[in-house]
Amino acid sequence: MRGIDTIRATKWYQWLAVGYLVLMAVFALFAPLLSESFLGFAPNELTGSDLYYTAPGSVEQDGRTHLLGTDRMGRDVATRLIYGTRTALFVGLGVSVISLLISLVLGLAAGYYGDRGVRMNSWQLIWIAISAVVSGFYSSVFGFGFWLIGVLILIGSIAYLLGRLSERRISVPIDLLTMKGIEIFKTIPGLFLILSLFAIMRQPGMLTVILILGLVSWPAKTRIVRAETMRLVSSNFIKSAQLSGLSDWRILHRHILPNVLAPISIAVAYTFTGAILAESTLSFLGIGLPEDIPSWGAILREARDYFAAWWLAVFPGLAVFFTVLTLNIIADWLNQR
Amino acid sequence: MGRYLLRRIALLIPTLIAVLIFTFVLHTYMPGDEIMERLDLEGKSVSFDRAQYSQSYLELQSQLGLGGPAFYFGLQPSHQPSDARDIIPASYRQRLLQLNGQVKNWSKIMAYHEALQSALMAHEKDPSQARLYRQLNNLERINTIEELRSLSVDLPEEAAELKNVIGQLEPSNAMILPSLRWHGLDNRFYHWVGRLFSADGRVSLVDGVPVADKIGAALRWTLSLSLISLILAIVLSMMIALWQSWSTRSWAVRITDGFMYAIYALPLFWLATLMIVFFTTDHYGSWTNVFPSIGIKPWMLGDSAIANLGVYAKQLILPVFCLLLANMSYLTRQLRTDLKRQREQPYVTSVRAKGVSRWRLIYHHLLPNALVPYITIVTGAIPRALVGSVVIEEIFNLPGVGKLMLQSIHQSDWPVSISIIILVGIVTIFSYILADVLYMIFYPQIAQSLEES
């Protein structure tokens, strides 16, 4: 019965939003198939030289039609829009996953252990400090690699064994450190940080873009995870789990994580939207993705070179607008439930 | 309250230091050589005269405090020198350090460096040795022993000594050991911070204009653009949200809600592009050419001040409108949600039971309470007002801070971009304090909970 109630309570625009999202996913998944069989163009194909900036509906000599016109270099706008869907969804997903992982690790640790939860004896503290410095030194000499993970595991297990040496312990203020980190991070304006990171990365590819946007968007979600975890820790069911002797790891991943995922999913939905918007803005400014990866923002940028080409200004913008609108509607829907 | 503020400000000092270090690290990884570019600005290029160029490079380097070790202390591989600032330019120094990473013997590298430099000096002025000079110049760009060796095979008899020195460079498999070094105050970070806070410490690498002047000129545009649109947005959003909670026509309220929702999702850069594409040109009929084309016209000396102001005002209409829409949709939605939430509070029932009019309820009870989050929004808008909107300034070609930032990053003009980042960072920190102070003044109960925490 609950399913039927949910369907009844769903408003028309929410149905539309879901439909649009499904359509986008289809476009993204079957971009090559769609563009080849229906439109007949490749995303970076330069068509005949007389077809620069041709209006929607103009026909090539071989009978193929440019449904939504062509750009400055004679590339088919409709094809590039479809491939742009793929880019947008890929960036949105990648950024959401990266920032979700960072915020879950930091937020759960800060919220669960607080300032007093992690206690170490002085042997452990000294060991961890020295090995952090030394492994930091060697990774700056040899470059970061997967061997670092092995070293970290080794350091961790020795630190665990050292814990048996002495029972006099000092607490490590994980919560304070995380909150300070967020405060410092929030001081530098996001767009400027992104711009300078891009300047350092001279030739950013798709993965670099995703990594940078993901690294920039963790603070807000970390705060949410931390607050939610703190609320749960003070609740009775976590207290009784702790009293019954469950391990921290089990409590965290079996009892706290599932309860944190619901509130964080809304924030992730907004991150998804924000990432798509940020990517298209960056491509619009001419920073970010390389020229041969079709992106809505990059198509829109060309409208500024030639004002008579209204199709370059209207269609990619509509795509961004509807996507953001759709995702906002879905996020708010999640929020209400 | 005073004690709380003092504690708050004291806690900000580590944040400020961390921001400085973070920005410094960002700056160190930016490509380009500041000294070289400033020498280019002064008309001294590499091909000019080797000895003289090195001398002016070293002078400028010590004047700017560059070239030394990066920080007060450092953990370095023990085979690397602690200070190699005499080797210039910086890119060449970097390559020698990379070579030493293979050889692990700095005295051998120095022998190679001296042999190479003396050979370069000896053959620089001799036109008959132009080919050898080019070969030697190429050697300066090499950072691996293997490449160095294969290139040295082609060297002629005149450079026998250099060939000999290169032959002695051998890759070593010695263990890399860390060594902790204390560098003292003469380090790059120390001088960098010093230059940051001195009046004429930084000049743009593009035109030699002091950074402070550049940012000051840009701030005029950005502040007028963002303050006008922000104030308009605050006034309009209050009016709309109040009307929405006052109105009894539910369909009208629903339509405005939907409209605000749609505008909220409207990408700013699309809106601005549509505006310039459709409303600044004749392409779509002369009636759509309503607004002046983009860009700022210079101040006309002959015309009166009022005529000039009129021209500027016209230029600002479209950008202000775009920013206004974006700000307004956000503020209205926020205030509307808060008003709604206040309406559900129990005190509303008792106020109504007393027979207070609806108007009085909204203005005297709901609005003041709903304005609490406004403090956060308005103080949060201060650093953003400083930054302006990169997108809007770029599209409408307004010479504001956002555009300056974008430009300086495109042109690798790091003194400008780093200064802007730090300025905005400091303003952001102080806007947090301002928010706290405002809360304390207007909402004592919040102040109390802040002080207790």
Side-chain angles (χ1 to χ4, degrees):
Chain A
M1 284 311 284
R2 198 167 159 246
I4 292 173
D5 284 345
T6 316
I7 290 172
R8 270 201 199 125
T10 307
K11 301 213 171 64
W12 59 271
Y13 54 83
Q14 290 167 337
W15 282 119
L16 265 180
V18 172
Y20 181 85
L21 211 60
V22 170
L23 194 71
M24 251 184 90
V26 169
F27 272 13
L29 278 175
F30 303 108
L33 189 78
L34 281 171
S35 55
E36 265 166 42
S37 53
F38 292 110
L39 301 164
F41 296 99
N44 287 317
E45 183 187 342
L46 311 177
T47 50
S49 60
D50 51 338
L51 286 168
Y52 300 157
Y53 290 127
T54 46
S58 44
V59 183
E60 286 263 338
Q61 278 166 353
D62 52 12
R64 294 180 297 176
T65 315
H66 293 290
L67 266 185
L68 300 180
T70 63
D71 66 2
R72 169 174 54 95
M73 294 156 84
R75 295 175 297 193
D76 186 57
V77 172
T79 310
R80 286 180 77 75
L81 271 181
I82 291 178
Y83 273 87
T85 318
R86 193 175 240 204
T87 311
L89 283 186
F90 196 62
V91 170
L93 270 178
V95 172
S96 309
V97 168
I98 289 178
S99 67
L100 179 66
L101 283 180
I102 298 176
S103 58
L104 274 182
V105 170
L106 287 178
L108 284 176
Y112 186 74
Y113 292 110
D115 284 341
R116 303 221 176 82
V118 175
R119 298 171 68 79
M120 296 182 188
N121 61 33
S122 36
W123 294 106
Q124 285 173 302
L125 281 177
I126 293 168
W127 164 250
I128 287 180
I130 290 176
S131 47
V133 168
V134 171
S135 62
F137 168 75
Y138 281 107
S139 55
S140 73
V141 173
F142 296 117
F144 296 94
F146 278 106
W147 59 270
L148 197 64
I149 296 171
V151 172
L152 286 180
I153 291 172
L154 187 71
I155 293 172
S157 41
I158 293 179
Y160 180 76
L161 290 176
L162 282 175
R164 314 230 161 145
L165 278 181
S166 157
E167 284 303 318
R168 290 185 53 194
R169 284 160 196 267
I170 308 156
S171 42
V172 184
I174 292 189
D175 189 34
L176 184 81
L177 290 176
T178 312
M179 294 314 280
K180 256 308 178 220
I182 291 180
E183 189 182 307
I184 293 164
F185 209 79
K186 294 283 267 188
T187 310
I188 296 171
L191 186 59
F192 284 10
L193 188 64
I194 294 173
L195 289 178
S196 1
L197 286 177
F198 273 117
I200 293 174
M201 299 287 177
R202 289 171 232 186
Q203 287 286 311
M206 178 84 110
L207 283 179
T208 330
V209 172
I210 291 177
L211 206 65
I212 289 178
L213 290 180
L215 286 180
V216 167
S217 59
W218 60 272
K221 276 190 298 303
T222 306
R223 277 205 183 129
I224 296 174
V225 175
R226 170 183 170 271
E228 202 60 31
T229 312
M230 280 179 144
R231 197 178 61 79
L232 287 167
V233 166
S234 64
S235 73
N236 283 332
F237 85 99
I238 296 294
K239 273 185 191 152
S240 52
Q242 281 170 335
L243 282 177
S244 64
L246 289 186
S247 68
D248 283 352
W249 169 248
R250 197 178 161 84
I251 294 176
L252 275 174
H253 93 276
R254 290 292 288 275
H255 299 288
I256 292 184
L257 188 62
N259 285 306
V260 165
L261 281 181
I264 199 66
S265 64
I266 301 155
V268 171
Y270 285 119
T271 308
F272 194 91
T273 324
I276 291 179
L277 206 54
E279 186 277 312
S280 53
T281 308
L282 285 173
S283 298
F284 179 78
L285 291 175
I287 312 157
L289 289 176
E291 176 73 10
D292 59 330
I293 298 182
S295 152
W296 293 335
I299 307 173
L300 202 56
R301 181 174 76 228
E302 300 197 345
R304 287 167 61 202
D305 300 334
Y306 187 47
F307 287 171
W310 56 269
W311 54 94
L312 291 178
V314 172
F315 298 121
L318 274 178
V320 182
F321 173 56
F322 281 134
T323 307
V324 173
L325 190 63
T326 297
L327 290 169
N328 279 351
I329 288 173
I330 287 176
D332 290 344
W333 191 17
L334 284 174
N335 202 0
Q336 278 162 16
R337 295 209 311 157
Chain B
M1 176 170 161
R3 271 188 54 203
Y4 169 77
L5 271 185
L6 272 181
R7 214 184 75 197
R8 184 82 218 255
I9 291 172
L11 273 177
L12 282 178
I13 291 170
T15 311
L16 195 65
I17 293 174
V19 169
L20 282 180
I21 293 178
F22 187 83
T23 326
F24 174 72
V25 172
L26 214 60
H27 194 173
T28 350
Y29 281 103
M30 303 270 183
D33 184 343
E34 185 171 350
I35 304 166
M36 228 180 216
E37 279 166 49
R38 278 184 65 160
L39 286 178
D40 276 352
L41 267 180
E42 289 167 25
K44 297 171 187 160
S45 75
V46 193
S47 56
F48 171 58
D49 178 310
R50 228 183 152 81
Q52 216 174 327
Y53 185 78
S54 320
Q55 203 198 337
S56 40
Y57 191 100
L58 279 173
E59 269 171 22
L60 192 57
Q61 180 174 274
S62 69
Q63 186 198 326
L64 296 180
L66 295 165
F71 203 58
Y72 298 94
F73 55 87
L75 199 64
Q76 286 161 320
S78 53
H79 55 79
Q80 295 289 19
S82 66
D83 195 342
R85 71 179 79 182
D86 298 336
I87 301 169
I88 53 145
S91 49
Y92 173 58
R93 179 191 314 141
Q94 209 51 47
R95 286 186 204 112
L96 285 190
L97 289 175
Q98 279 169 6
L99 269 179
N100 193 33
Q102 281 182 292
V103 180
K104 300 198 181 71
N105 187 339
W106 185 243
S107 56
K108 277 188 185 172
I109 296 288
M110 284 304 279
Y112 158 67
H113 162 66
E114 271 151 28
L116 177 60
Q117 293 304 314
S118 63
L120 274 165
M121 288 291 186
H123 302 295
E124 180 186 22
K125 296 275 157 57
D126 188 358
S128 65
Q129 298 289 2
R131 183 165 176 272
L132 172 60
Y133 186 69
R134 260 202 316 274
Q135 279 179 316
L136 293 173
N137 245 332
N138 271 339
L139 286 185
E140 276 195 307
R141 298 200 179 85
I142 302 307
N143 57 5
T144 61
I145 296 181
E146 293 76 24
E147 260 184 286
L148 203 58
R149 285 208 171 138
S150 68
L151 278 179
S152 75
V153 174
D154 299 336
L155 285 176
E157 278 305 300
E158 286 88 338
E161 200 205 322
L162 180 64
K163 242 175 157 171
N164 186 26
V165 176
I166 292 176
Q168 284 175 6
L169 296 180
E170 274 174 13
S172 145
N173 283 325
M175 264 269 282
I176 299 176
L177 292 172
S179 80
L180 184 67
R181 286 173 185 149
W182 175 255
H183 301 302
L185 287 185
D186 190 16
N187 61 63
R188 292 210 304 272
F189 178 71
Y190 183 76
H191 295 298
W192 183 82
V193 175
R195 271 205 295 146
L196 207 60
F197 294 109
S198 72
D200 49 10
R202 307 182 139 228
V203 297
S204 160
L205 296 181
V206 174
D207 47 16
V209 176
V211 171
D213 294 358
K214 273 201 145 174
I215 297 180
L219 266 181
R220 272 206 321 243
W221 282 106
T222 300
L223 282 182
S224 51
L225 176 65
S226 40
L227 287 185
I228 293 174
S229 58
L230 188 67
I231 291 169
L232 281 179
I234 289 178
V235 172
L236 275 176
S237 69
M238 276 196 188
M239 283 165 62
I240 294 172
L242 283 176
W243 168 77
Q244 280 184 324
S245 54
W246 169 252
S247 169
T248 45
R249 293 188 195 86
S250 70
W251 58 270
V253 172
R254 277 229 301 280
I255 287 175
T256 351
D257 268 345
F259 184 66
M260 288 296 160
Y261 200 86
I263 290 189
Y264 184 63
L266 201 63
L268 195 55
F269 65 94
W270 185 42
L271 179 68
T273 311
L274 286 182
M275 289 291 166
I276 57 163
V277 166
F278 288 109
F279 296 116
T280 63
T281 56
D282 271 336
H283 287 301
Y284 306 100
S286 56
W287 62 273
T288 60
N289 189 3
V290 194
F291 295 104
S293 39
I294 51 174
I296 288 298
K297 291 198 189 86
W299 191 269
M300 291 298 178
L301 280 177
D303 295 353
S304 70
I306 295 176
N308 267 321
L309 277 182
V311 173
Y312 278 87
K314 253 185 169 171
Q315 302 282 355
L316 280 177
I317 291 177
L318 275 183
V320 164
F321 174 72
C322 291
L323 271 181
L324 171 67
L325 270 191
N327 284 332
M328 190 185 68
S329 61
Y330 173 67
L331 290 174
T332 312
R333 265 164 56 79
Q334 199 71 37
L335 192 57
R336 174 136 171 75
T337 328
D338 293 328
L339 277 173
K340 258 187 188 166
R341 196 173 297 147
Q342 287 300 324
R343 255 208 158 137
E344 288 156 10
Q345 299 288 321
Y347 75 85
V348 175
T349 323
S350 66
V351 168
R352 275 205 164 155
K354 283 200 305 189
V356 170
S357 71
R358 213 148 58 100
W359 190 87
R360 207 183 147 78
L361 171 71
I362 290 177
Y363 280 87
H364 285 249
H365 298 277
L366 295 182
L367 188 60
N369 282 321
L371 283 183
V372 180
Y374 242 61
I375 291 181
T376 316
I377 293 171
V378 173
T379 51
I382 294 173
R384 257 182 288 131
L386 206 68
V387 179
S389 167
V390 177
V391 173
I392 289 290
E393 284 173 2
E394 167 72 10
I395 296 175
F396 291 103
N397 208 5
L398 293 173
V401 177
K403 173 123 176 130
L404 183 65
M405 177 77 190
L406 203 62
Q407 226 171 16
S408 63
I409 282 182
H410 268 308
Q411 298 168 334
S412 305
D413 193 357
W414 307 122
V416 174
S417 45
I418 291 292
S419 305
I420 296 178
I421 291 183
I422 288 180
L423 177 73
V424 177
I426 292 174
V427 171
T428 312
I429 291 179
F430 280 100
S431 74
Y432 291 160
I433 297 186
L434 183 67
D436 279 3
V437 172
L438 287 179
Y439 271 122
M440 286 181 173
I441 294 172
F442 290 110
Y443 302 97
Q445 64 274 36
I446 294 177
Q448 212 166 16
S449 70
L450 272 178
E451 246 164 296
E452 277 160 11
S453 66

